[in-house]
């Protein structure tokens, strides 16, 4: 029944595994396409942002450079040097005209670009404050503001926390002196820069900003500056300390695609966009595909259940019927209601059962009876040839008053003849067969103690109850004494060893006799295989009985002994169905 279940499960598992592989392949292909599409969208988004960033930065930086160039060019005004001090020698009218000319120049510069919010010229020596809309004498507040601007000056563009501004003094190399003649400041419109950045922001969930690390000032599009700040704090740098150009940053459960542009006069340009809206169509498609895969799994499960009903169950009935036939039951026929291939198989199986039962009656039973008769005949051939020698040795020991050894010999003789004369089963436990052989070996040891040594091993535990045919070890000992060691004058050795493992037990009888050459051993093997009746009839007798009893799964093995003589090994397979007490 376990075999039936195993086969049924095996077929069902193979079918389920096949469907699982198909679904897995579809899922892998879908996942690969999904990932590829996501990567393409990301790459396209980055390329678009990069293109916008490059265009904006190029335009913006060009505009800043043009404004800074105009700021330096401002000092080329021919009227400006005459306003450097009050003692310039200009008349009131001429000074007024010079101031108006400078104011006009300032107004022209501030109107050149929408990025410029205002321009202020400080003339400390002549105490003038001039802007595009104002001309006045410097008051104390103006002087303090100018000094603060000069005090914090260390580069072309600076920030006051709200706006960026540029300071120029007109000195060579733009060196700030203790008492500069002129201080010209251009203020940039942060609002205008943010308006320009908002033009680049084509997504409601994205943003653009410029961040100046030195001044900790951020100019951002209309999107939340808070998001820009969090993105800035999470930007990663490479091994060289530069910001990675392309990054993905997760904030509050949302993933953002971030592009870090170049660093300009005002700071680092950063553009970002939320990924989810870009992937909305892909996400929807993935959901549809998930539903499709669930439907496919449902169809697969339904198909497996359907095939289980129309294929597995009828097949299971057929397999169970074969198992019953294997156990010898030929009386139960099987039937199928539907007229299909299984109906034909069931009908053929019933016919096969009837035919097998008939053949068993005609062939198997008769053959079995013949084998049993043959077994009886083979066992009857066994007849001990050493009785008179044994009794002669016993008599001599009694005459020599060696009663202890005589008693031991008599006990072995008693066990030996008791075993032979016992009327019982044809098959006995291996333990009794070994004890009988041990008694025979002890009797022979008493007979040839002056020239032959017998070493008899112990039977391994767990094999005492193994049923074997009677008289399978003692005849091998008799053969060794009668042929292998017959002409040994001294130093004869006979060993009986037991070795178990790997699903078998081996009983080896070997000697150190000189009688058998390699050709003799080969001839013995050939006679054993052909089962010819010659001078080793006793050995063939044992081999045939073992073959009959163990259904061809065991027998004798003849080879050269490690002692120099012949080794005959009984090999009994224990991993087959054999009777055990």
């Amino acid at each position: 029944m376990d075999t039936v279940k195993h086969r049924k499960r095996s077929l069902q598992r193979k079918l389920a595994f096949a469907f699982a592989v198909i679904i897995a392949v579809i899922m892998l292909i879908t996942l690969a396409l999904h990932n590829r599409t996501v990567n393409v969208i990301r790459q396209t988004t980055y390329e678009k942002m990069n293109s916008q960033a490059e265009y904006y930065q190029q335009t913006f930086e060009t505009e800043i450079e043009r404004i800074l160039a105009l700021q330096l060019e401002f000092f080329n005004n021919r009227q400006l040097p005459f306003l450097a001090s009050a003692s310039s020698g200009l008349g009131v009218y001429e000074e007024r005209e010079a101031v108006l000319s400078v104011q006009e120049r300032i107004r022209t510069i501030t109107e050149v670009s929408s990025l410029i919010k205002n321009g202020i010229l400080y003339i400390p020596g002549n105490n003038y404050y001039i802007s595009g809309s104002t001309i006045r004498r410097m008051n104390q507040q103006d002087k303090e503001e100018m000094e603060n601007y000069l005090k914090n000056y260390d580069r072309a563009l600076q920030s006051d926390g709200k706006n960026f501004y540029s300071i120029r003094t007109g000195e060579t190399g733009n060196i700030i002196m203790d008492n500069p003649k002129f201080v010209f400041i251009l203020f940039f419109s942060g609002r205008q820069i943010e308006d320009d950045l908002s033009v680049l922001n084509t997504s409601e969930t994205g943003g653009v900003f410029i961040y100046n690390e030195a001044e900790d000032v951020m100019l951002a599009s209309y999107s939340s500056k808070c998001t820009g700040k969090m993105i800035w704090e999470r930007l990663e740098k490479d091994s060289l300390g530069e910001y990675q150009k392309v990054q993905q940053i997760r904030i509050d459960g949302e993933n953002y695609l971030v592009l870090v542009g170049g660093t300009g006069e005002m700071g680092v340009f950063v553009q970002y966009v939320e990924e989810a809206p870009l992937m909305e169509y892909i996400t929807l498609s993935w959901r549809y595909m998930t539903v499709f895969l669930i439907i496919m799994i449902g169809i697969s499960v339904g198909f497996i259940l359907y095939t289980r009903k129309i294929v597995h169950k009828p097949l299971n009935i057929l397999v169970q019927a074969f198992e019953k036939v294997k156990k010898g039951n030929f009386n139960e026929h099987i039937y199928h209601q539907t007229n299909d291939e299984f109906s034909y198989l069931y009908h053929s199986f019933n016919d096969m059962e009837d035919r097998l039962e008939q053949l068993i009656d005609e062939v198997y039973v008769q053959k079995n009876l013949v084998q049993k008769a043959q077994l009886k005949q083979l066992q009857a051939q066994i007849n001990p040839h050493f009785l008179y020698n044994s009794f002669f040795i016993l008599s001599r020991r009694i005459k020599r008053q060696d009663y202890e050894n005589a008693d031991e010999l008599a006990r072995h003789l008693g066990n030996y003849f008791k075993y032979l004369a016992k009327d019982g089963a044809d098959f006995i436990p291996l333990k009794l067969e070994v004890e009988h052989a041990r008694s025979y070996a002890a009797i022979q040891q008493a007979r040839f103690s002056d020239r032959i040594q017998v070493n008899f091993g112990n039977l391994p535990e767990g094999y005492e109850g193994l049923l074997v045919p009677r008289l399978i070890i003692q005849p091998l000992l008799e053969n060794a004494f009668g042929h292998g060691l017959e002409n040994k004058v001294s130093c004869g050795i006979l060993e009986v060893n037991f070795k178990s493992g790997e699903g078998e037990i081996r009983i080896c009888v070997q000697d150190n006799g000189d009688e058998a050459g390699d050709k003799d051993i080969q001839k013995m093997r050939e006679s054993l295989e052909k089962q010819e009746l010659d001078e080793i009839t006793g050995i063939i007798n044992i081999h045939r009985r073992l073959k009959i009893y163990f259904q061809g799964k065991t027998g004798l093995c003849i080879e050269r002994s490690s002692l120099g003589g012949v080794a005959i090994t009984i090999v009994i397979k224990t991993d087959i169905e054999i009777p055990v007490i």
Side-chain angles (χ1 to χ4, degrees):
M1 190 62 184
D2 292 338
T3 304
V4 175
K5 290 182 179 179
H6 173 72
R7 292 174 180 172
K8 180 183 70 172
R9 290 173 182 172
S10 176
L11 186 59
Q12 291 177 350
R13 286 176 180 173
K14 288 179 181 178
L15 187 60
F17 178 75
F19 277 103
V21 169
I22 294 173
I23 293 174
V25 170
I26 295 175
M27 290 182 67
L28 290 175
I29 294 175
T30 303
L31 185 60
L33 292 176
H34 173 75
N35 290 336
R36 187 177 186 280
T37 306
V38 169
N39 291 332
V40 169
I41 292 177
R42 287 175 179 167
Q43 185 64 29
T44 303
T45 302
Y46 283 130
E47 290 175 356
K48 180 181 178 182
M49 289 194 297
N50 187 55
S51 177
Q52 290 177 339
E54 289 180 352
Y55 174 77
Y56 176 80
Q57 285 186 279
Q58 183 179 2
T59 304
F60 182 75
E61 294 300 325
T62 302
E63 184 72 5
I64 294 294
E65 290 175 2
R66 186 168 71 91
I67 292 172
L68 296 178
L70 289 173
Q71 188 180 16
L72 289 175
E73 188 181 349
F74 168 79
F75 294 100
N76 295 330
N77 191 310
R78 289 179 296 177
Q79 300 292 334
L80 195 59
F82 296 104
L83 299 176
S85 65
S87 59
S88 60
L90 292 177
V92 175
Y93 175 78
E94 292 174 341
E95 183 175 342
R96 180 174 177 275
E97 288 298 322
V99 170
L100 290 176
S101 175
V102 170
Q103 184 186 40
E104 185 62 27
R105 182 57 181 167
I106 293 174
R107 188 182 295 118
T108 301
I109 293 175
T110 56
E111 292 177 353
V112 165
S113 174
S114 60
L115 295 179
I116 302 176
K117 182 179 181 181
N118 191 16
I120 299 175
L121 174 65
Y122 295 97
I123 308 177
N126 207 0
N127 206 28
Y128 268 113
Y129 174 97
I130 304 173
S131 68
S133 59
T134 304
I135 300 175
R136 69 169 183 263
R137 294 293 179 175
M138 292 176 59
N139 55 35
Q140 185 62 32
Q141 182 179 354
D142 293 334
K143 292 180 180 180
E144 291 177 357
E145 287 181 354
M146 182 189 70
E147 291 176 357
N148 287 333
Y149 285 132
L150 291 173
K151 185 185 302 182
N152 297 325
Y153 176 74
D154 58 359
R155 56 189 171 279
L157 285 179
Q158 300 183 82
S159 173
D160 58 5
K162 295 181 180 180
N163 297 303
F164 284 92
Y165 59 89
S166 173
I167 302 178
R168 292 291 185 270
T169 62
E171 303 294 340
T172 304
N174 199 35
I175 300 174
I176 302 300
M177 303 179 66
D178 293 337
N179 296 306
K181 294 179 180 180
F182 306 99
V183 178
F184 183 32
I185 304 176
L186 288 180
F187 294 90
F188 292 87
S189 174
R191 178 63 181 272
Q192 184 60 46
I193 295 175
E194 290 180 347
D195 289 344
D196 292 345
L197 292 175
S198 298
V199 175
L200 299 178
N201 187 19
T202 58
S203 173
E204 295 180 357
T205 58
V208 184
F209 64 87
I210 297 175
Y211 187 78
N212 189 298
E213 290 186 86
E215 302 291 342
D216 191 23
V217 175
M218 175 180 289
L219 297 176
S221 58
Y222 293 148
S223 61
S224 174
K225 286 189 178 181
C226 181
T227 302
K229 190 71 173 178
M230 289 188 291
I231 287 178
W232 176 261
E233 292 173 351
R234 289 170 172 78
L235 288 178
E236 296 180 357
K237 295 183 178 181
D238 56 21
S239 58
L240 300 177
E242 300 292 335
Y243 288 107
Q244 297 179 12
K245 187 176 182 62
V246 175
Q247 301 187 34
Q248 294 184 37
I249 297 176
R250 193 166 187 83
I251 299 175
D252 297 333
E254 299 294 338
N255 197 39
Y256 288 86
L257 305 180
V258 181
L259 175 75
V260 180
T263 302
E265 291 288 346
M266 289 191 178
V268 182
F269 180 89
V270 179
Q271 190 172 4
Y272 64 91
V273 62
E274 188 177 334
E275 186 180 41
L278 299 176
M279 304 297 176
E280 184 176 1
Y281 175 76
I282 300 300
T283 303
L284 184 62
S285 300
W286 180 250
R287 290 175 182 173
Y288 288 149
M289 184 56 65
T290 302
V291 173
F292 170 74
L293 291 175
I294 292 175
I295 294 175
M296 284 289 295
I297 293 173
I299 293 175
S300 301
V301 172
F303 183 77
I304 292 174
L305 294 177
Y306 178 70
T307 54
R308 179 181 180 184
K309 178 180 178 182
I310 66 171
V311 177
H312 296 158
K313 287 186 176 180
L315 186 61
N316 185 30
I317 294 174
L318 184 60
V319 173
Q320 288 178 348
F322 272 109
E323 290 294 327
K324 292 178 179 178
V325 169
K326 182 179 177 181
K327 295 178 180 179
N329 186 353
F330 302 96
N331 299 322
E332 293 190 17
H333 289 184
I334 55 177
Y335 302 94
H336 192 61
Q337 302 298 329
T338 307
N339 188 18
D340 55 14
E341 288 81 356
F342 279 106
S343 178
Y344 171 77
L345 288 175
Y346 283 15
H347 180 72
S348 300
F349 175 82
N350 295 336
D351 290 343
M352 181 195 69
E353 268 192 328
D354 296 337
R355 181 58 179 163
L356 281 176
E357 189 174 11
Q358 180 181 357
L359 289 175
I360 287 174
D361 290 339
E362 294 177 356
V363 179
Y364 179 76
V365 174
Q366 293 183 19
K367 183 178 179 180
N368 189 37
L369 292 176
V370 170
Q371 288 182 344
K372 287 185 177 181
Q374 185 181 23
L375 180 58
K376 291 287 186 181
Q377 180 181 4
L378 291 173
Q379 287 180 333
Q381 295 178 11
I382 299 174
N383 191 14
H385 304 289
F386 70 110
L387 295 180
Y388 69 94
N389 291 322
S390 299
F391 286 115
F392 178 74
I393 295 172
L394 179 60
S395 175
R396 284 195 305 172
R397 288 186 175 182
I398 293 173
K399 288 179 179 180
R400 292 198 308 265
Q401 296 182 354
D402 186 3
Y403 301 123
E404 183 177 353
N405 288 328
D407 178 70
E408 181 181 0
L409 179 60
R411 179 169 53 83
H412 284 301
L413 285 171
N415 292 335
Y416 178 77
F417 290 116
K418 178 182 178 181
Y419 182 85
L420 292 179
K422 184 177 180 181
D423 185 15
D426 296 329
F427 310 102
I428 62 171
L430 182 58
K431 177 182 179 181
L432 298 181
E433 178 65 18
V434 171
E435 290 177 352
H436 170 69
R438 190 183 297 274
S439 295
Y440 176 79
I443 296 172
Q444 290 286 47
Q445 174 74 53
R447 178 183 175 189
F448 302 108
S449 59
D450 56 339
R451 59 190 184 95
I452 297 177
Q453 177 184 350
V454 178
N455 300 322
F456 207 104
N458 296 320
L459 178 66
E461 294 183 0
Y463 296 91
E464 294 86 351
L466 179 66
L467 291 182
V468 295
R470 294 179 59 169
L471 294 175
I472 59 172
I473 303 177
Q474 181 268 331
L476 300 183
L477 300 177
E478 183 178 354
N479 179 77
F481 279 113
H483 297 280
L485 302 173
E486 182 179 12
N487 297 323
K488 271 285 184 180
V489 177
S490 64
C491 299
I493 300 176
L494 175 66
E495 289 187 356
V496 180
N497 299 319
F498 299 88
K499 183 179 180 181
S500 61
E502 299 181 357
E504 66 180 21
I505 180 172
R506 290 175 172 263
I507 306 171
C508 178
V509 178
Q510 60 179 340
D511 59 64
N512 65 341
D514 304 324
E515 301 298 322
D518 292 338
K519 291 184 178 180
D520 296 325
I521 293 177
Q522 181 61 30
K523 184 177 179 181
M524 293 169 66
R525 289 181 187 148
E526 293 175 356
S527 300
L528 203 62
E529 294 174 1
K530 297 178 182 179
Q531 297 186 3
E532 295 178 351
L533 297 176
D534 53 14
E535 67 274 7
I536 57 168
T537 303
I539 297 177
I540 295 179
N541 184 315
I542 298 171
H543 185 69
R544 293 184 65 185
R545 287 190 291 126
L546 289 172
K547 287 287 186 182
I548 292 173
Y549 179 63
F550 288 99
Q551 303 175 359
K553 299 287 180 71
T554 186
L556 299 183
C557 175
I558 302 176
E559 57 190 352
R560 174 66 66 186
S561 168
S562 60
L563 301 176
V566 178
I568 303 179
T569 304
I570 302 174
V571 182
I572 300 177
K573 297 290 183 180
T574 59
D575 55 355
I576 60 175
E577 282 192 22
I578 52 177
V580 178
I581 292 181

